[in-house]
Amino acid sequence: MSARIKEMVRVATARLGGEQAGAGGASSSSGFGRRESTARLGGAGTSFRRQPQPMAPTVRTVYCNDRDANAPVGYKGNSVSTTKYSILTFLPKGLFEQFRRVANLYFLMISILSTTPISPVHPVTNVVPLSLVLLVSLIKEAFEDWKRFQNDMSINNAHVDILQGQHWESTPWKRLQVGDIVRIKQDGYFPADLLFLSSTNPDGVCYIETANLDGETNLKIRKALEKTWDFVNPEKASGFKGEVQCEQPNNSLYTFTGNLIVDKQTIPLSPNQLLLRGCSLRNTVYIIGAVIFTGHETKVMMNSMNVPSKRSTLEKKLDKLILALFATLFSMCVIGAIGSGVFINEKYFYLGLRGHVEDQFNPKNRFVVTILTMFTLITLYSTIIPISLYVSIEMIKFIQCTQFINNDLHMYHAESDTPALARTSNLNEELGQVEYIFSDKTGTLTRNLMEFFKCSIGGEMYGTGITEIEKGGAERAGIKIDDDEGKRSASAVHEKGFNFDDARLMRGAWRNESNPEACKEFFRCLAICHTVLPEGEETLEKISYQAASPDEAALVAAAKNFGFFFYRRTPTTVMVRESHVERMGSIQDVPYEILNVLEFNSTRKRQSVVCRFPNGRLVLYCKGADNVVYERLADGNHDMKKTSREHLEQFGSAGLRTLCLAYRDLNREQYESWNEKFVQAKSSLRDRDKKLDEVAELIEKDLILIGCTAIEDKLQEGVPACIETLSAAGIKIWVLTGDKMETAINIAYGEASIYLDFLVNNDTKQFIISSETDAIRETEDRGDPVEIARVIKDSVKQSLKVFHEEARHSLISTPERNLALIIDGRCLMYALDPTLRVDLLGLSLICHSVVCCRVSPLQKAQVTSLVKKGARKITLSIGDGANDVSMIQAAHVGIGISGQEGMQAVMASDFAIAQFRFLTDLLLVHGRWSYLRLCKVITYFFYKNLTFTLTQFWFTFQTGFSGQRFYDDWFQSLYNVIFTALPVIIVGLFDKDVSASLSKRYPQLYKEGIRNSFFKWRVIAVWGFFAFYQSIVFFYFTAAASRHGHSSSGKILGLWDVSTMAFSCVVVTVNLRLLMACNSITRWHYISVAGSIVAWFVFIFIYSAIMTSFDRQENVYFVIYVLMSTFFFYLTILLVPIIALFGDLLYLSIQRWLFPYDYQIIQEQHRDEPHEYSRVQLPETSHLSPEEARSYMISMLPRESSKHTGFAFDSPGYESFFASQQGVGVPHKAWDVARRASMKQQKAGKS
């Protein structure tokens, strides 16, 4: 027994050491520590009894290949769901979603009230429209969620090989369980988070693509533990009975801490042995793995959030409008109810109020009369809330998505055959109000295609190409780049990973340079110092390279083109076919023995190899970030170091990713002494990474600088122009990149500055908050995690405070200067602390652009939520990988980039596009149009229903506040459904203020959406005022004028005659008013308006011609025929709409003349122009002072008058708009109106 206890203690102690070695730098955050060692003692016993024991909450025990042992723990299954509803929750949750809309809740109450005796209208009048609204909305929600369900099913039912006994059995993903042994074949996706056991590749290596996690298509290397290499076939794998002790499921994609206990031996695990769900296997026949985390406990799913129920900001503001209508309704009902209580009196003997009467009209109890009349009037005035509004909006949005956005050829990517896709129709108008864009970088802004572009060897710069950033900078500076500069020489080569033009190095010409030996070392370093794998035939044309980083592949491709062709790798040898080395035209295959590889990581920021030449020469080649390599250079050769640093700065300013190359010759004794220490450090179970770094420092010194490389990571086509356009539209763009520092070899923020250059001009003041400071490094060397956290937090706090003050001062002193904030993920973690997030938000909102490097998916979502909730601005997130899902779901609008980077971002998005540049059309065209159209639809609905209800309200004053109907039930029911429904839908679909091309040419128009110019209370108040005015015209003009009217038979006109005539005027007027509000009128507008008016008359002709015993239509029996027999009816139909619309016409004219919207200015400017307006530019030869240039540009602004209105450009608002387009500030001059009007009169007099 004592022996067993000793063994348990030994295992627990080994685990404690192993986890520190496996976790590396992440041990402080892994959740493992000394306090868990006691809990793990119990876990050790399980390796003997094979039964799970109580675990510490931070430890997960998994028994590989033993379902019975894992069953009592109850781990989650591997099925995933991204749907919003289930079968059980659809109806309750769906109805809850619908009744979140205040109007639907209101109509539910009205429908209930209409079934009571106090209702003056039939219950069908309210119940049927409400049921129709709910049915249509639920069908739409079910359809959209069904598509999500189908996507989930296709993933859950994908098959994977699982070990059953001693053979493989194909099983759906959803049936996988924790501990299962699975086989993943080449190009297959990992169905869960797997412990990598073995591979068909030598040395237990496999290559994975993480496009679904970080958007990168370059391959990553994973290596299995040497202990498990043999479990390749099912016979051997079936005998594997290991126990895994690891951290609990968490959302950290880049860390993993645990131990594997097999054959009573404890082996530390690191992220190198973890294969994450969603990644795919490449260049490996198959791998064997053990399932560690499943389903929603996998790291990628832990980084995603539940599908949010997104509602547009406009819809939320619509709720406030509905509440305002409620207040109006309540006021009207209170007035009517009080009036009823005051009016009711027995003295009105002709009303028969004496004796027994119902409670609602009993003069003896006025309070009850008031209360009951209140409810009566609520049902009578219920039409003030438009029940068909939501149905109409849903229909408009749905058609906008399916017919306009999805079919827009301007957003169709021909290369990948990918159109735009609207995955939800709830957020169309939100696209027209976006103020902040949060973008991923790799695969979203960039193509993730690295190309060797320039280099510096021995202090000499090579490469004549011009980068996109250099071209963009020259254009912004007004410098014209001659076409001759863009011409390439005959020796130029452009292939995957290599885009270089300089005849001095190509085709062996480097032998004629002043320092050919340096060139030779440079090319050998490129060909040898890497971990790239060659693939395909061993020929220059057909070989391809698979690398852990696209930078590495580009460097090896460069070596190939310079005559040092790396074509084969074995576990210990690199084969290089060298050309032109001894003499021009000679070719020789040289084997280089790779003795040691000192791998690249975020701490070292460099990679080295120790190799032996065929002649026995020992050389260490090193490549890494400039400051890291420079610190390790030997003394001397200062001129070359200085020149090379100048070249590095030039490359950096051109937006290139730089890397320094160096070497060191070693003697045999030096190497053997060092190698003993290296082997010892590599075998250590405690602090292995730290010891390896310390040993590497012993040999990576006294280096000789060879030169530096410059690689271009090309942006996607059209990205700079798109960013410039969006910035001009008032949209601020933030870049949130999850790239590791290993991938972005350039240290700290060199990478970020490349993309910042497109977001801001060269004058930008940058605020950099980095965890790579000397003070933080010194603290990290001491290894106290508490002290490290304190120092970083204090540093971030101080930086935020200082930068905030500087930013505020800069806004005051140099407001035209752009500001940019750059922060890394480690500092961001502390900046998002509740005590600092206010400072972070304040600084961020002042800055024009923000770049966050090395951020986790959750941090992306947190930054997005910070702006969304803290600043209350409308946000849009765009990304292409699974690591962007949380950010996409956190924003108001989520955009997924569909294409080569997987579909998880698309599946979680609201809209999907193939390229970043398509945002211009999606936002500035479709988003803007949708916002304008829906604002017009909502305000028009408000106007027409208020107009209709107020006529009923005025009638209440004539009826003793009794609740008597002015209109027939069916008039009220069909007013919104038929007589005014179609025209507003047509406007919501086809109204266009300016064309798509003008929307993109004048991006400033988009700012009206950001300012919410068309759905302000002022705009609503104007519509409400004219509804009030027109309702008075409709009621009093028809009622007062008809007092002396009579039919052809001599009878005076009664209630139903007057109400039918008033209703006819309402239908005609509100439909014509809609035409006045249209910016563009098509045949569909005419058809819908004319059709609605005709539909009313057809209906009333049929309805008044019949009479049944079970309805109340005897009220209007034969009414229309009586009315049409009188001249009075025709005169009313003609004059009343004219009088009602005269006020609107006057207002619209004054508004367009004196206070035009920006789009109205563009309308007038381009009304008669068949071609697009070309922007006015200053003559190139002129040398004007700023004031002269400003005066010149003002003089060149459009001045001609429109042939249609005669006053388009003679208004004060127009000059300032055109001036702002040209970057010239001109204040509004209201007094110019009188001056210009007088000038026009003078001109007219002269003519």
Side-chain angles (χ1 to χ4, degrees):
M1 190 68 177
S2 61
R4 182 177 177 183
I5 293 175
K6 288 181 180 179
E7 175 66 16
M8 292 169 65
V9 173
R10 185 193 65 76
V11 171
T13 307
R15 285 179 188 167
L16 186 59
E19 79 202 23
Q20 292 172 347
S27 61
S28 63
S29 61
S30 66
F32 284 82
R34 298 183 184 274
R35 287 178 294 179
E36 281 80 28
S37 60
T38 305
R40 293 183 187 177
L41 292 174
T46 60
S47 61
F48 301 97
R49 295 167 56 190
R50 303 298 296 169
Q51 291 295 324
Q53 299 295 315
M55 300 182 298
T58 53
V59 182
R60 182 185 183 93
T61 302
V62 175
Y63 302 107
C64 301
N65 205 16
D66 193 342
R67 285 192 171 186
D68 293 336
N70 292 317
V73 182
Y75 293 121
K76 289 187 177 181
N78 199 42
S79 179
V80 298
S81 174
T82 60
T83 57
K84 191 188 297 185
Y85 308 103
S86 67
I87 295 177
L88 295 177
T89 63
F90 175 70
L91 204 56
K93 191 174 179 181
L95 289 174
F96 170 75
E97 288 291 326
Q98 295 307 313
F99 287 120
R100 282 172 63 187
R101 292 170 169 171
V102 184
N104 287 345
L105 199 59
Y106 162 76
F107 275 105
L108 177 64
M109 182 187 72
I110 294 299
S111 298
I112 295 172
L113 274 179
S114 64
T115 60
T116 62
I118 63 172
S119 172
V121 296
H122 197 277
V124 176
T125 305
N126 293 301
V127 174
V128 172
L130 176 61
S131 302
L132 182 64
V133 168
L134 296 177
L135 180 64
V136 171
S137 298
L138 288 175
I139 290 174
K140 171 183 164 292
E141 287 289 320
F143 176 73
E144 291 181 349
D145 216 47
W146 175 254
K147 291 191 291 184
R148 297 191 192 99
F149 174 74
Q150 288 179 316
N151 287 330
D152 292 340
M153 290 300 294
S154 65
I155 292 174
N156 291 330
N157 290 321
H159 279 68
V160 64
D161 292 337
I162 184 173
L163 186 64
Q164 297 284 2
Q166 292 191 354
H167 66 278
W168 299 110
E169 182 176 311
S170 182
T171 305
W173 282 22
K174 61 185 178 183
R175 294 183 184 172
L176 275 186
Q177 295 182 19
V178 172
D180 286 349
I181 305 297
V182 296
R183 178 178 68 177
I184 311 298
K185 298 178 181 177
Q186 182 165 331
D187 299 327
Y189 287 88
F190 302 130
D193 289 351
L194 308 178
L195 172 64
F196 180 26
L197 298 178
S198 60
S199 163
T200 54
N201 288 335
D203 295 339
V205 169
C206 77
Y207 300 88
I208 65 172
E209 185 180 277
T210 60
N212 271 335
L213 294 184
D214 53 24
E216 295 187 3
T217 54
N218 52 284
L219 301 187
K220 311 290 192 302
I221 297 175
R222 294 292 181 266
K223 193 169 184 178
L225 297 172
E226 191 171 349
K227 183 76 175 179
T228 63
W229 283 1
D230 295 333
F231 301 124
V232 178
N233 54 55
E235 292 77 17
K236 289 188 176 180
S238 62
F240 175 65
K241 298 292 182 180
E243 175 187 335
V244 177
Q245 292 268 357
C246 65
E247 62 192 17
Q248 288 288 358
N250 59 69
N251 55 25
S252 176
L253 294 174
Y254 308 114
T255 62
F256 176 71
T257 306
N259 296 307
L260 173 64
I261 305 171
V262 58
D263 297 333
K264 299 184 180 181
Q265 181 181 356
T266 300
I267 308 171
L269 299 174
S270 72
N272 272 332
Q273 287 82 50
L274 191 67
L275 306 176
L276 299 182
R277 177 187 175 113
C279 299
S280 57
L281 184 67
R282 296 285 187 264
N283 301 331
T284 308
V285 179
Y286 66 84
I287 63 100
I288 309 298
V291 178
I292 303 297
F293 303 124
T294 52
H296 288 277
E297 291 186 337
T298 57
K299 289 182 179 289
V300 66
M301 294 303 293
M302 294 281 284
N303 269 281
S304 65
M305 300 184 296
N306 293 329
V307 178
S309 298
K310 292 185 178 179
R311 296 181 70 213
S312 71
T313 306
L314 194 68
E315 189 173 333
K316 294 174 184 175
K317 291 176 181 175
L318 174 58
D319 284 347
K320 295 180 181 178
L321 175 59
I322 299 296
L323 289 174
L325 289 176
F326 283 157
T328 305
L329 171 64
F330 184 75
S331 301
M332 292 164 59
C333 293
V334 167
I335 293 172
I338 294 174
S340 177
V342 172
F343 176 83
I344 203 77
N345 198 307
E346 291 183 357
K347 69 178 181 180
Y348 302 113
F349 60 91
Y350 48 83
L351 295 178
L353 299 179
R354 295 173 181 172
H356 179 72
V357 294
E358 55 185 294
D359 293 337
Q360 187 174 355
F361 303 108
N362 189 348
K364 297 177 181 178
N365 196 341
R366 294 176 182 271
F367 178 75
V368 173
V369 170
T370 300
I371 297 301
L372 293 178
T373 303
M374 181 82 175
F375 286 107
T376 299
L377 294 178
I378 286 176
T379 57
L380 186 63
Y381 299 153
S382 63
T383 51
I384 195 172
I385 312 293
I387 191 170
S388 62
L389 171 60
Y390 285 111
V391 174
S392 300
I393 290 176
E394 297 277 1
M395 190 183 303
I396 290 168
K397 288 182 177 182
F398 184 76
I399 296 175
Q400 283 176 349
C401 288
T402 56
Q403 299 302 315
F404 300 156
I405 294 178
N406 293 357
N407 295 329
D408 189 350
L409 291 177
H410 290 98
M411 294 192 291
Y412 171 72
H413 192 237
E415 294 178 17
S416 60
D417 188 28
T418 308
L421 174 66
R423 301 188 72 253
T424 179
S425 59
N426 290 338
L427 304 169
N428 298 5
E429 70 278 14
E430 204 86 322
L431 293 170
Q433 296 181 276
V434 173
E435 189 169 356
Y436 285 87
I437 292 179
F438 300 91
S439 174
D440 179 38
K441 181 192 70 66
T442 307
T444 302
L445 291 176
T446 69
R447 303 174 190 174
N448 201 24
L449 298 175
M450 310 297 177
E451 293 182 341
F452 188 94
F453 200 72
K454 291 184 180 184
C455 63
S456 171
I457 306 175
E460 187 70 28
M461 185 188 295
Y462 298 94
T464 60
I466 300 174
T467 66
E468 293 178 354
I469 291 181
E470 287 177 310
K471 293 175 184 176
E475 289 175 5
R476 285 194 296 273
I479 301 172
K480 185 177 181 181
I481 299 178
D482 296 334
D483 293 337
D484 292 339
E485 292 182 33
K487 292 183 179 179
R488 300 170 66 85
S489 67
S491 62
V493 177
H494 191 182
E495 62 178 43
K496 182 180 179 182
F498 190 75
N499 181 17
F500 186 81
D501 181 15
D502 197 324
R504 293 176 295 169
L505 292 185
M506 303 302 295
R507 301 177 183 176
W510 55 269
R511 297 179 77 250
N512 301 321
E513 288 297 291
S514 59
N515 196 349
E517 288 302 315
C519 293
K520 194 186 303 182
E521 293 292 353
F522 184 88
F523 301 146
R524 278 179 178 155
C525 184
L526 295 181
I528 297 171
C529 186
H530 57 77
T531 56
V532 174
L533 283 181
E535 193 177 60
E537 295 184 21
E538 297 177 353
T539 62
L540 287 169
E541 296 79 17
K542 295 187 177 180
I543 199 167
S544 62
Y545 296 116
Q546 295 295 342
S549 160
D551 302 75
E552 280 210 316
L555 295 175
V556 175
K560 179 188 75 171
N561 283 281
F562 289 136
F564 289 70
F565 173 34
F566 161 64
Y567 64 91
R568 188 185 305 162
R569 177 188 287 278
T570 69
T572 58
T573 308
V574 165
M575 298 294 295
V576 179
R577 185 168 296 155
E578 299 182 353
S579 307
H580 319 300
V581 177
E582 301 300 331
R583 64 181 186 275
M584 289 296 293
S586 66
I587 298 176
Q588 53 184 338
D589 292 346
V590 184
Y592 293 95
E593 184 181 359
I594 305 300
L595 302 176
N596 306 91
V597 177
L598 306 177
E599 296 180 355
F600 191 102
N601 62 45
S602 57
T603 304
R604 287 167 38 77
K605 300 182 179 65
R606 62 192 183 279
Q607 179 185 38
S608 299
V609 297
V610 179
C611 65
R612 179 183 284 124
F613 282 45
N615 61 8
R617 178 190 174 197
L618 287 172
V619 181
L620 177 136
Y621 285 113
C622 178
K623 65 181 182 184
D626 53 0
N627 66 334
V628 174
V629 172
Y630 265 70
E631 289 173 357
R632 289 159 178 80
L633 295 178
D635 294 333
N637 208 359
H638 297 293
D639 291 340
M640 180 189 167
K641 293 178 185 177
K642 182 180 178 182
T643 304
S644 298
R645 189 171 287 281
E646 291 173 356
H647 293 168
L648 285 166
E649 291 175 358
Q650 291 180 38
F651 294 154
S653 63
L656 299 172
R657 300 155 66 97
T658 57
L659 201 62
C660 284
L661 275 57
Y663 78 100
R664 177 189 178 188
D665 283 307
L666 304 172
N667 59 49
R668 185 174 178 181
E669 292 76 15
Q670 270 182 324
Y671 171 71
E672 289 181 351
S673 172
W674 173 84
N675 191 45
E676 288 180 7
K677 299 175 183 176
F678 179 77
V679 172
Q680 186 178 359
K682 198 170 184 179
S683 304
S684 174
L685 291 178
R686 293 180 62 89
D687 300 328
R688 179 190 301 173
D689 292 342
K690 184 178 180 181
K691 291 179 179 179
L692 284 173
D693 289 348
E694 291 172 352
V695 171
E697 291 284 355
L698 299 176
I699 198 169
E700 290 174 328
K701 62 182 182 179
D702 298 329
L703 303 176
I704 299 172
L705 182 64
I706 311 172
C708 55
T709 62
I711 293 177
E712 183 177 23
D713 182 8
K714 286 188 175 293
L715 293 171
Q716 287 183 11
E717 180 186 349
V719 165
C722 176
I723 290 177
E724 185 178 357
T725 302
L726 295 176
S727 297
I731 299 173
K732 299 177 179 64
I733 302 175
W734 293 20
V735 177
L736 311 178
T737 172
D739 283 354
K740 296 183 179 181
M741 291 298 179
E742 290 89 339
T743 303
I745 294 178
N746 224 0
I747 66 157
Y749 306 99
E751 172 192 82
S753 64
I754 293 175
Y755 304 101
L756 263 176
D757 194 63
F758 285 100
L759 302 177
V760 295
N761 57 39
N762 297 326
D763 247 359
T764 299
K765 181 178 178 63
Q766 297 183 12
F767 301 121
I768 299 177
I769 303 178
S770 168
S771 60
E772 299 293 329
T773 63
D774 293 336
I776 295 175
R777 285 199 191 101
E778 290 175 6
T779 309
E780 287 175 338
D781 292 340
R782 292 194 290 270
D784 184 354
V786 176
E787 180 67 12
I788 293 171
R790 186 192 64 78
V791 170
I792 296 178
K793 185 173 182 179
D794 290 345
S795 174
V796 171
K797 183 177 181 179
Q798 183 65 23
S799 297
L800 287 174
K801 183 178 180 180
V802 171
F803 290 159
H804 201 175
E805 287 299 320
E806 288 185 26
R808 291 171 61 184
H809 178 72
S810 180
L811 278 181
I812 298 171
S813 58
T814 54
E816 70 282 353
R817 188 178 189 186
N818 288 330
L819 307 175
L821 170 64
I822 309 170
I823 185 170
D824 67 13
R826 200 171 176 192
C827 291
L828 185 63
M829 178 175 69
Y830 294 97
L832 289 170
D833 185 89
T835 59
L836 297 180
R837 66 175 58 179
V838 175
D839 295 330
L840 174 65
L841 180 63
L843 176 59
S844 301
L845 294 182
I846 293 175
C847 292
H848 179 265
S849 299
V850 177
V851 175
C852 302
C853 298
R854 194 63 174 89
V855 290
S856 69
L858 201 57
Q859 284 178 321
K860 291 184 178 184
Q862 288 172 336
V863 171
T864 305
S865 298
L866 180 68
V867 177
K868 176 183 176 182
K869 297 176 181 178
R872 298 187 180 275
K873 305 291 186 182
I874 296 181
T875 57
L876 179 147
S877 291
I878 179 168
D880 67 321
N883 63 326
D884 302 315
V885 168
S886 294
M887 175 178 72
I888 286 171
Q889 293 181 344
H892 289 92
V893 183
I895 308 290
I897 298 287
S898 57
Q900 302 177 357
E901 312 298 340
M903 295 296 290
Q904 291 215 25
V906 171
M907 289 170 58
S909 66
D910 304 306
F911 299 89
I913 54 179
Q915 296 275 290
F916 183 87
R917 70 177 187 272
F918 295 155
L919 272 183
T920 303
D921 284 275
L922 188 63
L923 298 185
L924 270 58
V925 179
H926 293 285
R928 217 181 126 268
W929 283 349
S930 296
Y931 168 71
L932 287 170
R933 291 165 177 169
L934 287 172
C935 286
K936 192 165 292 183
V937 166
I938 293 171
T939 51
Y940 175 74
F941 259 100
F942 163 73
Y943 148 78
K944 72 184 181 70
N945 279 60
L946 186 60
T947 302
F948 177 74
T949 308
L950 283 176
T951 55
Q952 174 72 62
F953 180 65
W954 305 133
F955 179 66
T956 303
F957 287 88
Q958 311 296 322
T959 61
F961 308 97
S962 61
Q964 167 63 39
R965 294 172 301 136
F966 184 52
Y967 299 118
D968 182 80
D969 285 347
W970 284 103
F971 291 7
Q972 183 170 324
S973 298
L974 301 180
Y975 175 72
N976 281 309
V977 177
I978 294 180
F979 306 139
T980 59
L982 187 58
V984 73
I985 292 176
I986 295 298
V987 169
L989 293 176
F990 298 115
D991 192 49
K992 219 188 302 186
D993 59 342
V994 296
S995 66
S997 60
L998 291 178
S999 294
K1000 290 183 284 186
R1001 195 194 307 178
Y1002 298 100
Q1004 292 84 353
L1005 293 173
Y1006 189 83
K1007 293 179 181 179
E1008 292 179 324
I1010 296 176
R1011 295 191 297 263
N1012 195 27
S1013 300
F1014 304 110
F1015 199 59
K1016 291 182 175 179
W1017 288 111
R1018 178 178 56 82
V1019 176
I1020 295 169
V1022 171
W1023 281 95
F1025 171 78
F1026 286 109
F1028 179 85
Y1029 161 73
Q1030 290 179 12
S1031 66
I1032 292 176
V1033 172
F1034 294 142
F1035 179 76
Y1036 287 103
F1037 274 55
T1038 54
S1042 60
R1043 287 177 184 172
H1044 305 290
H1046 53 82
S1047 66
S1048 58
S1049 61
K1051 292 182 179 180
I1052 63 170
L1053 300 179
L1055 167 63
W1056 304 111
D1057 299 293
V1058 175
S1059 66
T1060 303
M1061 189 157 46
F1063 190 82
S1064 300
C1065 292
V1066 170
V1067 171
V1068 171
T1069 304
V1070 297
N1071 279 291
L1072 292 178
R1073 177 62 182 86
L1074 187 62
L1075 283 181
M1076 293 173 62
C1078 293
N1079 289 301
S1080 58
I1081 299 179
T1082 66
R1083 64 178 182 275
W1084 299 110
H1085 291 76
Y1086 292 122
I1087 291 172
S1088 62
V1089 169
S1092 297
I1093 296 173
V1094 169
W1096 153 245
F1097 284 105
V1098 170
F1099 165 79
I1100 193 61
F1101 266 98
I1102 297 172
Y1103 182 62
S1104 63
I1106 58 175
M1107 182 170 63
T1108 57
S1109 57
F1110 57 83
D1111 206 346
R1112 299 191 284 186
Q1113 64 207 79
E1114 67 274 5
N1115 296 330
V1116 293
Y1117 180 64
F1118 222 66
V1119 162
I1120 190 65
Y1121 300 101
V1122 172
L1123 287 174
M1124 296 190 71
S1125 66
T1126 66
F1127 175 75
F1128 173 78
F1129 173 75
Y1130 299 101
L1131 188 64
T1132 303
I1133 289 295
L1134 176 65
L1135 293 181
V1136 169
I1138 292 176
I1139 296 170
L1141 293 175
F1142 178 76
D1144 296 78
L1145 180 64
L1146 186 64
Y1147 168 77
L1148 292 176
S1149 301
I1150 294 173
Q1151 179 269 318
R1152 192 176 182 96
W1153 185 32
L1154 296 180
F1155 311 102
Y1157 288 113
D1158 291 345
Y1159 76 84
Q1160 292 174 330
I1161 301 171
I1162 302 302
Q1163 283 177 345
E1164 293 295 338
Q1165 180 187 5
H1166 293 273
R1167 186 184 293 271
D1168 302 311
E1169 294 181 10
H1171 302 292
E1172 294 186 345
Y1173 172 72
S1174 58
R1175 292 182 62 169
V1176 178
Q1177 295 182 350
L1178 287 173
E1180 294 181 10
T1181 57
S1182 63
H1183 301 282
L1184 306 177
S1185 68
E1187 277 300 313
E1188 291 172 335
R1190 180 175 177 277
S1191 300
Y1192 175 82
M1193 295 185 78
I1194 292 175
S1195 68
M1196 295 301 293
L1197 295 177
R1199 285 289 188 272
E1200 64 270 25
S1201 297
S1202 165
K1203 297 176 182 177
H1204 294 270
T1205 63
F1207 50 72
F1209 297 130
D1210 290 348
S1211 64
Y1214 286 68
E1215 182 180 276
S1216 62
F1217 176 80
F1218 287 124
S1220 66
Q1221 288 282 316
Q1222 307 298 333
V1224 183
V1226 179
H1228 286 270
K1229 300 175 182 178
W1231 54 85
D1232 280 355
V1233 178
R1235 177 178 60 81
R1236 289 174 181 169
S1238 63
M1239 291 295 291
K1240 292 183 72 171
Q1241 293 174 0
Q1242 293 175 14
K1243 291 178 182 178
K1246 291 179 181 179
S1247 60

